[in-house]
Amino acid sequence: MSYPLPGPSSRLLRARGPVLSALLLASLLSPALAQTPNTSEPAEQLPTFTVDSTRDVGYQATNTTSVGYINRPLKDLPQSIGILNQELLRDVGALDFAQAVQYSTNINFQIANADTNFTIRGLTSRSFFVNFLTRVTPTDSYMTERIEVVHGPASVIYGQQDAGGVVNTITKIAHLKQNRTTVELTGGDYDLRRGTFDTNIALGDHQALRVAGLYHSTEDGRAYAGIERRGLYADYLWQINPTTSIRITGESGYDHRTPFTGIITLPLNSSAQSAAAAVGLLPQKYAQSIYGPDAQSNLDYFFYTAAFTKALFNDRLNVQFTVSESMRNRNQRWGPAMKSASYATAAVGPSSINGYQITPGYAAGTPIFTQNWQLVGLDERFRFYRLQAAWELPELGGKHMLTFGGNYQPNDYPTYNTVSWLYRNPDGSPRGAIFGTSAADRMPYTVIMDGGLRYPQQLIGNGLYERKASGFQLGQIVKAGFAMLASDWGHDGRFKTLIGFRYDDMYNSNDTLGASGNTDNMIITTSAADHAKVWSKSIGAIYALTPTLNLTANYGTSLWPNVNRFDINLNLMPPTEGESYEFGLKALTPDNRYSASFTYFDLTQKNSALSVAAPLLIAQFGSSTPARAVAGAMESKGYELEFTANPTPAWTLRAGVGFADPKITTDLPQFGYPGGKTMPGVTKYTGTFFTRYNFTTGPVRGLFVGGGFNYRSENYAGYVDTNNDNIAEQQVTFPGYTTFDFLAGYSFRLARHSRLTLRINLRNAFDKSYIVATDVNFAGYGDRRQLMFSTSLEF
């Protein structure tokens, strides 16, 4: 597979690339690289608001900033937090976010190979953050220090967050008085070609620069699906004096892919079921995006964060002011599934190829679907200002740390989405359905050609006239204030509390755009807005039963604005709110070699925007466009058990078991959500395990081996019960699965300060074909078996 290179025409890279390129050039030319010896420990005193991952041992991470903004031990926090550090990500062969979080408990994806569509504790989560900030740019392991999964509500810190939990990615940071560079080359199945570098440069005693770069290209192991990604990341630290510092972080990148989200074959019966019910009719080797072989997505992206930190009053008060901005420009070409529909005028018989049914038979009157290909242009910009302080209060019956501040998000987050319908005549009038003009011809069936699925005819490149047809603009203003008090009570500090409050004032608007006559001009056709003022709360307690075992309890609430989500009357939906109670145990041995946590949770969520499956919209309204949602309530109960250990200096392991049983508590059968049924897109049980052993003596010294597995139970794709005699009731499920990953490698010194490491990763070793993601409208396969070879040089 070959893709056109973006070259100098990439607008965002042209604007911001020179900044990061200059930082990269400075790092490569810095004479300090050859003058200062390597050191394994950072020399600087990291500020209160920064977590130091260099002190992780094996897969063991003991501290976090993801609750309360300040650096605190994991065992002293009342919430369940799973940390996937850089060492684990490297060992399991995780190159991106989706591959990494498979090793976290109670997390599942709703769209295959997507960064931000997943469930935590059985509930949909769009809460994806980078360094506490919402980002509209993708992430990759080349610039990732660790991934932290904060289970349960945490809106006091993150503001806009779903009840199930938050995923917060921590990026790499520069360290003072260190010079270290790592270059890594990776190749493997499906024409995988990947190169990365990561260098930390000491610029004197008080400044440091860390730069990382990426080139990644692969065909992804599926027919007509692949990705090419390039990125340049930098982090600069200036320790002006012992109490004052400035840190600037940024990334510029480009992402080109053929998106994969499932296949478009339909169920065996003639009922209008979720398209997810059809996946599994074909073997995985034929899996292809529902968007078709000619779909493309091109993304230019950029972000920066600047933070000024000052310590006052003998370090009793630490203040930080942060400015962040992320933006992306995306151009896509695809045909959304089930874009329009009518009803069959005559019965159509089934057809099959090699024993697999491709077009099921259907009766007259059955809803049938068409796809109109489109071009989508999307520009997004997100700016964020935050002022926070950590104040060590006078001792009053114990030690107390107050974190407080506020943030402001201005209304400069416009999303402009223009659509060009390819199947139009030059005068702008429709040319008719893709598969014919009669209702009987409009079934979006596929045929097997050249090892993959293709449409009956080529859809792209026919020279048809393109014209802007529709779009939307989003606006959002957020003003918020927060405070969190962490207290250690008594002289021994055995009892600890964490109490926080947050107030959000949010204004969300949505303008729908339409073409102005037979022109390319766009005008606002409808407007919607929602103004919400909401308090979020978090109250937690920890009691030390023994020096190694803590008892925890926590209550928290969550808030998520339903931007661009409309109800059945096409009104903008108000925010989703949730609350959670959880209780647990956390253990950490004095030598930090063993840690474990167990948490039981009981959470509820109201005013959730539940997507209505297209066939049900057709049955209810006669049309599936625009997409609509209904407000539902739900509950989820379950537990997480995670264990990390370093039995010996050469042996590390991590394991986890999770259970979540989300139920719909409102009865909405006419929209496919009957009360008491399991939420769609959920696997109730999750289990993960991975271990690595290093040989440190004898003739095999330097050899390391590892392996592990991921288990997911039966997947509930959805329940169709429409109270409509023409549509059959059916529970759609897919079987559970277990995949195995293995690791082997050899590491040795080339010189005093250089090391060469050879590594082999085998992901999904037994080539298990499985459904990894489901939604009410589609489903997708997980990754196929992939063998990867890596060579890294550290000096």
Side-chain angles (χ1 to χ4, degrees):
M1 175 181 295
S2 60
Y3 297 128
L5 297 178
S9 64
S10 177
R11 178 170 56 85
L12 289 176
L13 292 181
R14 186 172 64 247
R16 274 84 183 187
V19 177
L20 294 180
S21 298
L23 294 176
L24 172 60
L25 181 61
S27 70
L28 296 178
L29 297 180
S30 173
L33 180 63
Q35 297 175 358
T36 306
N38 286 5
T39 175
S40 59
E41 290 293 330
E44 80 273 20
Q45 178 65 41
L46 291 171
T48 303
F49 307 107
T50 304
V51 65
D52 183 7
S53 295
T54 62
R55 293 183 171 89
D56 292 354
V57 178
Y59 305 152
Q60 184 77 270
T62 58
N63 285 49
T64 181
T65 56
S66 281
V67 174
Y69 286 124
I70 58 176
N71 194 349
R72 288 180 65 85
L74 279 170
K75 70 181 182 66
D76 291 341
L77 295 171
Q79 288 181 265
S80 172
I81 304 172
I83 295 182
L84 311 173
N85 65 11
Q86 190 178 28
E87 194 160 343
L88 177 67
L89 301 183
R90 183 171 56 246
D91 283 354
V92 302
L95 304 180
D96 56 30
F97 170 81
Q99 294 174 347
V101 297
Q102 293 181 59
Y103 278 90
S104 183
T105 56
N106 277 339
I107 189 166
N108 293 284
F109 282 91
Q110 291 184 302
I111 300 179
N113 291 358
D115 280 356
T116 56
N117 296 82
F118 50 91
T119 66
I120 300 181
R121 290 182 170 177
L123 301 182
T124 297
S125 180
R126 297 145 292 185
S127 307
F128 178 73
F129 297 84
V130 176
N131 299 332
F132 296 102
L133 302 173
T134 301
R135 268 188 54 185
V136 294
T137 60
T139 62
D140 188 281
S141 63
Y142 91 98
M143 43 82 76
T144 299
E145 191 74 32
R146 56 161 67 177
I147 296 175
E148 304 189 350
V149 181
V150 182
H151 295 92
S155 283
V156 168
I157 298 301
Y158 296 90
Q160 303 176 15
Q161 179 250 329
D162 287 292
V166 167
V167 176
N168 185 33
T169 296
I170 307 296
T171 60
K172 295 178 178 179
I173 61 174
H175 292 286
L176 297 177
K177 301 180 181 180
Q178 289 191 59
N179 289 298
R180 183 183 67 244
T181 298
T182 301
V183 178
E184 185 169 23
L185 300 176
T186 303
D189 292 335
Y190 316 120
D191 200 23
L192 172 63
R193 292 170 293 170
R194 179 181 174 91
T196 65
F197 73 87
D198 177 10
T199 182
N200 192 96
I201 311 298
L203 305 174
D205 292 336
H206 304 291
Q207 299 181 66
L209 175 68
R210 188 166 184 175
V211 181
L214 164 75
Y215 175 80
H216 177 98
S217 176
T218 180
E219 292 188 359
D220 200 28
R222 300 180 177 91
Y224 311 104
I227 181 173
E228 181 185 31
R229 178 181 290 171
R230 293 182 293 179
L232 185 64
Y233 168 86
D235 182 81
Y236 167 76
L237 172 64
W238 180 18
Q239 192 75 46
I240 300 174
N241 56 52
T243 63
T244 309
S245 67
I246 293 176
R247 185 179 294 278
I248 302 174
T249 305
E251 184 192 19
S252 181
Y254 168 80
D255 185 294
H256 174 102
R257 67 177 64 201
T258 302
F260 173 82
T261 54
I263 58 177
I264 62 172
T265 52
L266 296 178
L268 292 172
N269 57 51
S270 60
S271 301
Q273 304 289 342
S274 162
V279 183
L281 293 178
L282 296 175
Q284 185 179 6
K285 67 178 181 179
Y286 294 124
Q288 175 197 302
S289 172
I290 59 173
Y291 297 137
D294 299 298
Q296 290 185 7
S297 175
N298 298 288
L299 175 69
D300 291 304
Y301 60 91
F302 173 81
F303 93 92
Y304 75 87
T305 299
F308 173 80
T309 304
K310 179 68 175 178
L312 303 167
F313 309 116
N314 295 322
D315 291 342
R316 297 183 69 90
L317 177 64
N318 283 267
V319 180
Q320 185 176 82
F321 177 67
T322 303
V323 178
S324 180
E325 183 174 15
S326 63
M327 61 191 74
R328 64 179 176 179
N329 171 253
R330 183 171 65 187
N331 293 289
Q332 296 174 328
R333 180 177 71 187
W334 59 26
M338 298 181 291
K339 185 63 183 177
S340 61
S342 61
Y343 293 85
T345 57
V348 174
S351 63
S352 62
I353 297 178
N354 297 331
Y356 293 100
Q357 190 174 63
I358 304 301
T359 56
Y362 54 92
T366 299
I368 55 177
F369 313 105
T370 63
Q371 291 184 309
N372 288 318
W373 281 81
Q374 59 178 327
L375 294 179
V376 178
L378 186 66
D379 287 289
E380 293 178 282
R381 181 186 182 194
F382 181 90
R383 263 200 302 178
F384 189 90
Y385 304 90
R386 182 176 68 221
L387 178 64
Q388 67 186 47
W391 182 17
E392 185 180 341
L393 302 177
E395 294 191 16
L396 298 172
K399 298 180 179 180
H400 310 276
M401 178 70 77
L402 177 65
T403 307
F404 61 96
N407 61 267
Y408 173 65
Q409 176 188 325
N411 189 21
D412 61 353
Y413 180 36
T415 300
Y416 187 64
N417 183 346
T418 60
V419 177
S420 299
W421 299 109
L422 298 184
Y423 279 80
R424 286 181 173 269
N425 294 310
D427 62 358
S429 60
R431 280 191 53 164
I434 288 177
F435 302 107
T437 57
S438 68
D441 295 330
R442 295 182 185 176
M443 187 66 102
Y445 60 89
T446 60
V447 295
I448 299 176
M449 292 177 60
D450 302 325
L453 300 176
R454 292 191 69 86
Y455 290 89
Q457 55 183 298
Q458 192 74 15
L459 302 181
I460 301 301
N462 292 346
L464 302 178
Y465 187 72
E466 300 176 10
R467 170 157 293 156
K468 296 178 181 179
S470 64
F472 59 87
Q473 288 178 321
L474 302 181
Q476 187 178 56
I477 302 174
V478 179
K479 294 174 285 185
F482 60 87
M484 178 168 283
L485 179 64
S487 302
D488 294 357
W489 297 97
H491 296 293
D492 56 7
R494 293 181 64 183
F495 181 60
K496 307 175 189 295
T497 58
L498 193 65
I499 301 174
F501 296 93
R502 181 188 181 97
Y503 178 74
D504 280 275
D505 185 330
M506 299 183 303
Y507 178 80
N508 299 303
S509 63
N510 186 296
D511 296 329
T512 304
L513 307 176
S516 177
N518 191 25
T519 70
D520 286 337
N521 298 326
M522 304 291 286
I523 59 175
I524 296 176
T525 57
T526 59
S527 295
D530 178 69
H531 191 187
K533 300 178 180 180
V534 182
W535 281 95
S536 300
K537 302 172 286 295
S538 180
I539 303 172
I542 305 99
Y543 181 74
L545 298 174
T546 71
T548 61
L549 183 64
N550 286 351
L551 178 66
T552 66
N554 191 68
Y555 166 78
T557 64
S558 66
L559 163 71
W560 181 268
N562 287 304
V563 179
N564 202 33
R565 300 299 297 270
F566 295 89
D567 63 17
I568 58 176
N569 296 316
L570 296 182
N571 295 318
L572 200 63
M573 296 190 69
T576 297
E577 298 182 59
E579 64 176 357
S580 171
Y581 298 88
E582 57 184 77
F583 308 91
L585 293 168
K586 291 188 176 183
L588 177 66
T589 58
D591 58 6
N592 291 342
R593 288 172 56 190
Y594 298 89
S595 68
S597 66
F598 174 82
T599 305
Y600 170 82
F601 61 86
D602 185 343
L603 62 84
T604 57
Q605 188 168 273
K606 63 181 181 180
N607 200 40
S608 302
L610 302 176
S611 299
V612 181
L616 306 186
L617 279 178
I618 296 165
Q620 189 75 12
F621 300 101
S623 173
S624 65
T625 55
R628 310 181 193 186
V630 290
M634 58 202 66
E635 65 178 9
S636 182
K637 299 179 181 180
Y639 60 83
E640 287 115 16
L641 172 62
E642 295 190 339
F643 175 73
T644 307
N646 293 297
T648 70
W651 182 18
T652 185
L653 62 91
R654 188 179 189 277
V657 176
F659 170 75
D661 188 15
K663 299 287 188 182
I664 301 170
T665 54
T666 51
D667 192 25
L668 300 167
Q670 68 274 31
F671 298 109
Y673 294 99
K677 299 296 182 181
T678 298
M679 281 292 297
V682 171
T683 58
K684 292 184 179 180
Y685 291 94
T686 59
T688 68
F689 174 82
F690 201 88
T691 184
R692 186 199 68 223
Y693 185 82
N694 298 324
F695 294 90
T696 58
T697 60
V700 292
R701 180 181 180 181
L703 179 69
F704 57 90
V705 294
F709 64 85
N710 271 289
Y711 166 75
R712 296 293 188 271
S713 64
E714 187 178 38
N715 193 314
Y716 293 84
Y719 186 88
V720 178
D721 179 3
T722 64
N723 289 344
N724 186 326
D725 293 338
N726 294 322
I727 300 179
E729 299 179 8
Q730 180 178 343
Q731 173 74 61
V732 182
T733 61
F734 297 106
Y737 63 90
T738 303
T739 60
F740 293 86
D741 301 329
F742 296 107
L743 160 75
Y746 183 65
S747 181
F748 59 95
R749 290 190 179 276
L750 293 177
R752 181 180 178 185
H753 300 305
S754 63
R755 175 173 293 275
L756 182 67
T757 302
L758 308 176
R759 181 186 305 268
I760 300 175
N761 287 96
L762 182 60
R763 302 184 65 249
N764 190 7
F766 304 109
D767 204 17
K768 177 69 174 179
S769 180
Y770 61 97
I771 301 297
V772 69
T774 59
D775 198 302
V776 294
N777 286 318
F778 49 80
Y781 286 104
D783 292 334
R784 295 188 62 187
R785 177 172 56 205
Q786 185 172 32
L787 182 64
M788 299 185 296
F789 299 88
S790 300
T791 302
S792 64
L793 175 64
E794 182 179 358
F795 56 93

